[in-house]
Amino acid sequence: MNNMENYLITFGETIGKEIHSIVEASVKTFFKSKGELATFTINNYMNARFDKRLEDFSYEEEQISDQDKKNFYENINYEKLNYLFELLNKTRTSTFDLHAKILAKIYSDFLRENFLFYYDKILLSNINNLTDQDFEIFYRIISSRTGIGIHKKYEIENNITTSLVEVSVIEKFIYLGYFLRNKSGNRLGQNIEMSSNEITFILTDAAQRLYNRLDDIFSDKEKYSIINSSII
């Protein structure tokens, strides 16, 4: 028996003890118990922060039906275990609390759908290259969109520094596949066009999916006053 098989067995044994709480079983499989985590002095702050961030995961899991959770853990395999580890490890190590909330949303859909959406895999792999500000700007751009169908427009800020930041964020999400590149070959890419004060883009399913998650997270306007905040 190899070590990876041991992790699968440990997860399976722990899930029963945790009354089918997948997040608790995952934490104890990968990171030992919470009490043991607290004994590592150097990581005390990170572990305390991780413990707090896990509340989002627990909340999201509570919204999922028992049958969906049962389907997930009864069909656990190495690939799913790897994704669980990455979701939790990046939640533990990320600088940004917003990352943890987004990852908790991905976790929720992962359990419900029993697979990881392609663009969620991309986001999971690249989330450490995005800041909380990047997600806030992404949200603002889509919230402020106008247009017909999937073709949307966004008016760029007059402030040159602000507009450069917005363009930079759009380019990041083009790279991740959330916005499409322009056939004309300009630097903003397919189906993204930019004039002196306006960006035109196609709202993809992946972008809408991420936007819906952020909209849910940012619904607490006291904590996340996105629409009226400065992006610089």
Side-chain angles (χ1 to χ4, degrees):
M1 181 182 299
N2 60 41
N3 288 335
M4 290 302 295
E5 288 176 337
N6 285 334
Y7 280 107
L8 278 172
I9 291 171
T10 300
F11 177 86
E13 292 174 344
T14 307
I15 194 75
K17 297 175 184 177
E18 295 301 332
I19 317 178
H20 300 165
S21 171
I22 296 170
V23 67
E24 290 288 347
S26 300
V27 168
K28 291 189 176 181
T29 298
F30 299 130
F31 304 105
K32 302 182 180 180
S33 73
K34 294 181 182 178
E36 289 172 319
L37 275 173
T39 64
F40 296 97
T41 305
I42 293 176
N43 289 326
N44 270 351
Y45 178 80
M46 183 182 292
N47 294 327
R49 184 181 65 183
F50 181 44
D51 194 45
K52 179 67 176 175
R53 289 174 175 179
L54 286 174
E55 293 177 8
D56 290 318
F57 279 71
S58 295
Y59 172 80
E60 293 295 336
E61 188 172 318
E62 288 172 2
Q63 313 310 307
I64 300 170
S65 71
D66 289 341
Q67 185 59 51
D68 284 341
K69 286 185 280 190
K70 183 179 180 181
N71 288 341
F72 182 88
Y73 66 71
E74 286 186 346
N75 292 283
I76 194 73
N77 55 30
Y78 296 136
E79 182 181 38
K80 291 181 182 177
L81 206 63
N82 283 339
Y83 290 140
L84 282 176
F85 174 77
E86 288 301 322
L87 284 164
L88 291 171
N89 197 45
K90 289 191 175 182
T91 295
R92 181 172 181 258
T93 59
S94 174
T95 303
F96 305 105
D97 289 334
L98 180 55
H99 281 186
K101 292 182 178 297
I102 294 169
L103 291 169
K105 296 291 184 185
I106 294 174
Y107 168 78
S108 175
D109 286 335
F110 184 31
L111 299 193
R112 185 177 291 106
E113 297 166 354
N114 213 6
F115 71 95
L116 205 59
F117 181 59
Y118 175 74
Y119 285 100
D120 286 343
K121 294 178 184 179
I122 291 177
L123 187 57
L124 177 58
S125 298
N126 291 276
I127 197 166
N128 290 343
N129 297 321
L130 298 164
T131 68
D132 53 355
Q133 190 179 42
D134 290 332
F135 286 108
E136 291 172 3
I137 295 170
F138 173 90
Y139 178 76
R140 182 187 289 111
I141 287 172
I142 297 183
S143 293
S144 305
R145 69 190 184 270
T146 59
I148 301 173
I150 62 174
H151 296 273
K152 307 300 179 184
K153 295 182 179 180
Y154 173 71
E155 187 173 341
I156 302 169
E157 296 280 349
N158 291 327
N159 181 296
I160 185 64
T161 303
T162 300
S163 64
L164 287 173
V165 171
E166 290 176 331
V167 170
S168 175
V169 170
I170 288 173
E171 288 178 332
K172 287 183 180 181
F173 282 99
I174 288 172
Y175 172 78
L176 296 177
Y178 284 82
F179 293 131
L180 302 179
R181 293 196 172 279
N182 188 337
K183 296 174 184 177
S184 64
N186 65 41
R187 71 191 187 94
L188 283 177
Q190 204 131 334
N191 297 321
I192 294 282
E193 295 180 359
M194 179 178 175
S195 64
S196 60
N197 65 347
E198 191 177 81
I199 297 172
T200 303
F201 60 91
I202 286 182
L203 185 61
T204 65
D205 289 343
Q208 184 67 61
R209 187 180 178 101
L210 177 57
Y211 172 80
N212 290 343
R213 288 167 173 162
L214 292 172
D215 191 51
D216 191 36
I217 293 168
F218 294 152
S219 61
D220 182 355
K221 292 298 190 295
E222 290 186 5
K223 187 172 183 181
Y224 292 107
S225 50
I226 301 303
I227 301 301
N228 297 317
S229 67
S230 170
I231 66 170
I232 300 298

PDB file of all heavy atoms in Angstrom, residues 7 33 43 95-96 98 101 109 111 129 138 160 166 180 214 224:
ATOM      1  N   TYR A   7      -3.911   8.016   2.505  1.00  0.00           N
ATOM      2  CA  TYR A   7      -4.706   9.241   2.647  1.00  0.00           C
ATOM      3  C   TYR A   7      -6.175   8.976   2.306  1.00  0.00           C
ATOM      4  O   TYR A   7      -7.077   9.496   2.965  1.00  0.00           O
ATOM      5  CB  TYR A   7      -4.148  10.364   1.765  1.00  0.00           C
ATOM      6  CG  TYR A   7      -2.954  11.049   2.367  1.00  0.00           C
ATOM      7  CD1 TYR A   7      -1.679  10.837   1.856  1.00  0.00           C
ATOM      8  CD2 TYR A   7      -3.099  11.919   3.452  1.00  0.00           C
ATOM      9  CE1 TYR A   7      -0.573  11.459   2.409  1.00  0.00           C
ATOM     10  CE2 TYR A   7      -2.003  12.547   4.012  1.00  0.00           C
ATOM     11  CZ  TYR A   7      -0.735  12.316   3.487  1.00  0.00           C
ATOM     12  OH  TYR A   7       0.348  12.943   4.043  1.00  0.00           O
ATOM     13  N   SER A  33      -5.278  17.334  13.553  1.00  0.00           N
ATOM     14  CA  SER A  33      -6.398  17.960  14.241  1.00  0.00           C
ATOM     15  C   SER A  33      -6.117  19.436  14.454  1.00  0.00           C
ATOM     16  O   SER A  33      -4.971  19.880  14.411  1.00  0.00           O
ATOM     17  CB  SER A  33      -6.624  17.295  15.604  1.00  0.00           C
ATOM     18  OG  SER A  33      -5.597  17.668  16.499  1.00  0.00           O
ATOM     19  N   ASN A  43       3.585  28.846  13.073  1.00  0.00           N
ATOM     20  CA  ASN A  43       2.400  28.940  12.231  1.00  0.00           C
ATOM     21  C   ASN A  43       1.132  29.284  13.013  1.00  0.00           C
ATOM     22  O   ASN A  43       0.031  29.136  12.490  1.00  0.00           O
ATOM     23  CB  ASN A  43       2.187  27.625  11.487  1.00  0.00           C
ATOM     24  CG  ASN A  43       3.221  27.409  10.400  1.00  0.00           C
ATOM     25  OD1 ASN A  43       3.673  28.353   9.763  1.00  0.00           O
ATOM     26  ND2 ASN A  43       3.601  26.164  10.199  1.00  0.00           N
ATOM     27  N   THR A  95      -2.860  35.276   1.267  1.00  0.00           N
ATOM     28  CA  THR A  95      -2.820  36.567   1.960  1.00  0.00           C
ATOM     29  C   THR A  95      -4.220  37.127   2.160  1.00  0.00           C
ATOM     30  O   THR A  95      -4.487  37.831   3.133  1.00  0.00           O
ATOM     31  CB  THR A  95      -1.998  37.586   1.136  1.00  0.00           C
ATOM     32  OG1 THR A  95      -0.693  37.060   0.919  1.00  0.00           O
ATOM     33  CG2 THR A  95      -1.910  38.928   1.841  1.00  0.00           C
ATOM     34  N   PHE A  96      -5.130  36.798   1.253  1.00  0.00           N
ATOM     35  CA  PHE A  96      -6.416  37.487   1.188  1.00  0.00           C
ATOM     36  C   PHE A  96      -7.578  36.649   1.715  1.00  0.00           C
ATOM     37  O   PHE A  96      -7.807  35.527   1.268  1.00  0.00           O
ATOM     38  CB  PHE A  96      -6.705  37.895  -0.261  1.00  0.00           C
ATOM     39  CG  PHE A  96      -5.606  38.722  -0.879  1.00  0.00           C
ATOM     40  CD1 PHE A  96      -4.748  38.153  -1.812  1.00  0.00           C
ATOM     41  CD2 PHE A  96      -5.422  40.038  -0.506  1.00  0.00           C
ATOM     42  CE1 PHE A  96      -3.718  38.900  -2.371  1.00  0.00           C
ATOM     43  CE2 PHE A  96      -4.405  40.802  -1.058  1.00  0.00           C
ATOM     44  CZ  PHE A  96      -3.552  40.234  -1.987  1.00  0.00           C
ATOM     45  N   LEU A  98     -10.589  37.285   1.042  1.00  0.00           N
ATOM     46  CA  LEU A  98     -11.518  37.140  -0.076  1.00  0.00           C
ATOM     47  C   LEU A  98     -11.241  35.863  -0.861  1.00  0.00           C
ATOM     48  O   LEU A  98     -12.168  35.204  -1.331  1.00  0.00           O
ATOM     49  CB  LEU A  98     -11.429  38.358  -0.997  1.00  0.00           C
ATOM     50  CG  LEU A  98     -12.340  38.353  -2.231  1.00  0.00           C
ATOM     51  CD1 LEU A  98     -13.803  38.151  -1.845  1.00  0.00           C
ATOM     52  CD2 LEU A  98     -12.166  39.632  -3.031  1.00  0.00           C
ATOM     53  N   LYS A 101     -13.058  33.031   0.731  1.00  0.00           N
ATOM     54  CA  LYS A 101     -14.495  33.035   0.471  1.00  0.00           C
ATOM     55  C   LYS A 101     -14.802  32.522  -0.935  1.00  0.00           C
ATOM     56  O   LYS A 101     -15.776  31.789  -1.144  1.00  0.00           O
ATOM     57  CB  LYS A 101     -15.058  34.436   0.691  1.00  0.00           C
ATOM     58  CG  LYS A 101     -15.024  34.885   2.148  1.00  0.00           C
ATOM     59  CD  LYS A 101     -15.640  36.244   2.336  1.00  0.00           C
ATOM     60  CE  LYS A 101     -15.639  36.639   3.805  1.00  0.00           C
ATOM     61  NZ  LYS A 101     -16.454  35.730   4.648  1.00  0.00           N
ATOM     62  N   ASP A 109     -19.649  24.156  -4.944  1.00  0.00           N
ATOM     63  CA  ASP A 109     -20.075  23.627  -6.253  1.00  0.00           C
ATOM     64  C   ASP A 109     -19.392  22.297  -6.562  1.00  0.00           C
ATOM     65  O   ASP A 109     -19.979  21.438  -7.235  1.00  0.00           O
ATOM     66  CB  ASP A 109     -19.769  24.647  -7.355  1.00  0.00           C
ATOM     67  CG  ASP A 109     -20.725  25.829  -7.322  1.00  0.00           C
ATOM     68  OD1 ASP A 109     -21.851  25.670  -6.828  1.00  0.00           O
ATOM     69  OD2 ASP A 109     -20.336  26.923  -7.772  1.00  0.00           O
ATOM     70  N   LEU A 111     -18.655  19.945  -4.384  1.00  0.00           N
ATOM     71  CA  LEU A 111     -19.407  18.897  -3.691  1.00  0.00           C
ATOM     72  C   LEU A 111     -20.755  18.657  -4.358  1.00  0.00           C
ATOM     73  O   LEU A 111     -21.184  17.515  -4.520  1.00  0.00           O
ATOM     74  CB  LEU A 111     -19.635  19.286  -2.224  1.00  0.00           C
ATOM     75  CG  LEU A 111     -18.424  19.496  -1.317  1.00  0.00           C
ATOM     76  CD1 LEU A 111     -18.888  19.550   0.137  1.00  0.00           C
ATOM     77  CD2 LEU A 111     -17.383  18.407  -1.488  1.00  0.00           C
ATOM     78  N   ASN A 129      -2.159  34.517  -8.040  1.00  0.00           N
ATOM     79  CA  ASN A 129      -1.672  35.597  -8.901  1.00  0.00           C
ATOM     80  C   ASN A 129      -2.669  36.742  -9.004  1.00  0.00           C
ATOM     81  O   ASN A 129      -2.441  37.704  -9.749  1.00  0.00           O
ATOM     82  CB  ASN A 129      -1.377  35.053 -10.308  1.00  0.00           C
ATOM     83  CG  ASN A 129      -0.275  34.017 -10.305  1.00  0.00           C
ATOM     84  OD1 ASN A 129       0.712  34.148  -9.590  1.00  0.00           O
ATOM     85  ND2 ASN A 129      -0.450  32.970 -11.096  1.00  0.00           N
ATOM     86  N   PHE A 138     -13.061  43.320 -11.248  1.00  0.00           N
ATOM     87  CA  PHE A 138     -13.798  42.400 -12.112  1.00  0.00           C
ATOM     88  C   PHE A 138     -15.290  42.512 -11.821  1.00  0.00           C
ATOM     89  O   PHE A 138     -16.124  42.611 -12.739  1.00  0.00           O
ATOM     90  CB  PHE A 138     -13.304  40.973 -11.868  1.00  0.00           C
ATOM     91  CG  PHE A 138     -14.099  39.896 -12.566  1.00  0.00           C
ATOM     92  CD1 PHE A 138     -13.748  39.475 -13.841  1.00  0.00           C
ATOM     93  CD2 PHE A 138     -15.181  39.293 -11.945  1.00  0.00           C
ATOM     94  CE1 PHE A 138     -14.471  38.467 -14.486  1.00  0.00           C
ATOM     95  CE2 PHE A 138     -15.906  38.290 -12.578  1.00  0.00           C
ATOM     96  CZ  PHE A 138     -15.547  37.879 -13.851  1.00  0.00           C
ATOM     97  N   ILE A 160      -6.445  58.460 -15.471  1.00  0.00           N
ATOM     98  CA  ILE A 160      -5.556  57.607 -16.272  1.00  0.00           C
ATOM     99  C   ILE A 160      -4.996  56.451 -15.458  1.00  0.00           C
ATOM    100  O   ILE A 160      -4.894  55.324 -15.937  1.00  0.00           O
ATOM    101  CB  ILE A 160      -4.405  58.425 -16.898  1.00  0.00           C
ATOM    102  CG1 ILE A 160      -3.560  57.546 -17.815  1.00  0.00           C
ATOM    103  CG2 ILE A 160      -3.557  59.082 -15.819  1.00  0.00           C
ATOM    104  CD1 ILE A 160      -4.277  57.002 -19.002  1.00  0.00           C
ATOM    105  N   GLU A 166      -7.662  49.103 -14.443  1.00  0.00           N
ATOM    106  CA  GLU A 166      -8.793  48.341 -14.960  1.00  0.00           C
ATOM    107  C   GLU A 166      -8.391  47.495 -16.169  1.00  0.00           C
ATOM    108  O   GLU A 166      -8.774  46.330 -16.279  1.00  0.00           O
ATOM    109  CB  GLU A 166      -9.931  49.296 -15.343  1.00  0.00           C
ATOM    110  CG  GLU A 166     -10.590  49.941 -14.134  1.00  0.00           C
ATOM    111  CD  GLU A 166     -11.646  50.947 -14.536  1.00  0.00           C
ATOM    112  OE1 GLU A 166     -11.527  51.549 -15.617  1.00  0.00           O
ATOM    113  OE2 GLU A 166     -12.604  51.129 -13.768  1.00  0.00           O
ATOM    114  N   LEU A 180     -12.934  36.941 -23.583  1.00  0.00           N
ATOM    115  CA  LEU A 180     -12.421  36.379 -24.829  1.00  0.00           C
ATOM    116  C   LEU A 180     -11.587  37.404 -25.590  1.00  0.00           C
ATOM    117  O   LEU A 180     -11.812  38.601 -25.482  1.00  0.00           O
ATOM    118  CB  LEU A 180     -13.586  35.901 -25.706  1.00  0.00           C
ATOM    119  CG  LEU A 180     -14.504  34.855 -25.074  1.00  0.00           C
ATOM    120  CD1 LEU A 180     -15.625  34.498 -26.039  1.00  0.00           C
ATOM    121  CD2 LEU A 180     -13.711  33.621 -24.666  1.00  0.00           C
ATOM    122  N   LEU A 214     -19.160  36.309  -6.498  1.00  0.00           N
ATOM    123  CA  LEU A 214     -18.727  37.565  -5.896  1.00  0.00           C
ATOM    124  C   LEU A 214     -19.916  38.391  -5.441  1.00  0.00           C
ATOM    125  O   LEU A 214     -19.873  39.042  -4.390  1.00  0.00           O
ATOM    126  CB  LEU A 214     -17.881  38.359  -6.895  1.00  0.00           C
ATOM    127  CG  LEU A 214     -16.521  37.750  -7.244  1.00  0.00           C
ATOM    128  CD1 LEU A 214     -15.861  38.526  -8.381  1.00  0.00           C
ATOM    129  CD2 LEU A 214     -15.603  37.719  -6.029  1.00  0.00           C
ATOM    130  N   TYR A 224     -17.849  44.775   2.434  1.00  0.00           N
ATOM    131  CA  TYR A 224     -17.322  44.910   1.085  1.00  0.00           C
ATOM    132  C   TYR A 224     -18.087  46.004   0.346  1.00  0.00           C
ATOM    133  O   TYR A 224     -19.005  45.729  -0.404  1.00  0.00           O
ATOM    134  CB  TYR A 224     -17.452  43.595   0.304  1.00  0.00           C
ATOM    135  CG  TYR A 224     -16.568  42.499   0.811  1.00  0.00           C
ATOM    136  CD1 TYR A 224     -17.106  41.429   1.509  1.00  0.00           C
ATOM    137  CD2 TYR A 224     -15.203  42.521   0.594  1.00  0.00           C
ATOM    138  CE1 TYR A 224     -16.304  40.422   1.981  1.00  0.00           C
ATOM    139  CE2 TYR A 224     -14.392  41.509   1.061  1.00  0.00           C
ATOM    140  CZ  TYR A 224     -14.947  40.460   1.758  1.00  0.00           C
ATOM    141  OH  TYR A 224     -14.140  39.467   2.213  1.00  0.00           O
TER     142      TYR A 224
END
